[in-house]
Amino acid sequence: MSRDREEDAFRWEGDGDPTLDAPTSEPAARADSPRVADLPAGFTAVGRGSEDAAGTAAIDREPAVEGDVAARDETPAAPLGNAMLIALGVLGGVYALWVIGWIIGGLRLQGAAQYLVADVMFQGSFWLAVLAAPIWFATTFLLTRGSRAWVRLVWLIAGVVLLVPWPFVMMGTVGQ
C-alpha cells in the first residue's frame, strides 16, 4: 500500500478514512517500547520497523539457559524447493524399481546359485542386495540434511549407478 492515497490502484468506499493512513513521521519501533521488551527469548520482531526493534531486543536480553545460545546459533533448514522434491520423488521411484529388479533377478538366479553357494549364504546375500537400495536412499537422505541440495543429488545418483540390479539386467524376467 503506497503512502500517498492518490496513487492507489483501486478506490473503495471508505478510502477517505484517516485511520487507514500509515504514520509517516513517527519511527516504527523504539528500543524502549514495551512490545519489544515483552518478546520471549528466541523470538524476533517482524514487520515494519522490526530492523530497529530486533537489534536492541537482542542486546537487552540474555539467554535464560546455556542451551538457548546454541539454539539461537542454529539456523533452521530451508524447505526443499519444487525441483528438489521432484528430483527426490523420481530418484525414490528409481530406487523402488531397483528393489523390484533385485528381487526378480535374484529369484531367477536362485536355481543356478545352489551349485555355487549354500542356500543360507544365498538368502543372506539376496536380502542384503534387496535392502541395499532403501538403505542407501535413507542413509543419504539423513546424512545430507545440512548439506546443499546438489550434494544430496550427487550421492543419490551415485547410488543409482552403483546399485543397478545386474541379475535382472543380464537375465531379465525370462532368462536366456
Side-chain angles (χ1 to χ4, degrees):
M1 185 168 158
S2 65
R3 294 189 187 270
D4 188 9
R5 303 296 294 170
E6 296 301 321
E7 294 178 10
D8 285 343
F10 299 105
R11 300 208 32 100
W12 300 96
E13 191 64 38
D15 277 345
D17 189 4
T19 59
L20 295 176
D21 291 331
T24 58
S25 62
E26 184 178 322
R30 293 190 329 243
D32 58 344
S33 74
R35 292 185 309 173
V36 174
D38 291 342
L39 288 176
F43 288 88
T44 57
V46 295
R48 186 178 297 158
S50 64
E51 300 85 23
D52 299 330
T56 58
I59 293 171
D60 294 341
R61 257 187 258 115
E62 301 230 353
V65 188
E66 290 180 14
D68 288 347
V69 174
R72 261 191 227 163
D73 292 341
E74 294 178 9
T75 57
L80 298 174
N82 291 341
M84 186 62 179
L85 286 174
I86 291 171
L88 284 176
V90 168
L91 288 171
V94 170
Y95 277 96
L97 289 174
W98 271 202
V99 168
I100 294 168
W102 274 108
I103 291 172
I104 293 171
L107 291 176
R108 293 287 302 152
L109 284 178
Q110 189 171 11
Q114 287 178 348
Y115 297 113
L116 300 174
V117 294
D119 192 38
V120 174
M121 291 172 51
F122 175 77
Q123 289 296 323
S125 60
F126 171 72
W127 288 110
L128 184 63
V130 168
L131 293 176
I135 290 172
W136 184 286
F137 186 84
T139 303
T140 302
F141 195 78
L142 291 175
L143 292 180
T144 59
R145 281 183 295 178
S147 302
R148 296 190 182 271
W150 68 269
V151 174
R152 179 178 286 171
L153 282 178
V154 166
W155 280 106
L156 287 173
I157 291 170
V160 165
V161 172
L162 290 173
L163 299 173
V164 172
W166 287 112
F168 181 77
V169 171
M170 300 305 280
M171 294 181 63
T173 57
V174 179
Q176 294 179 343

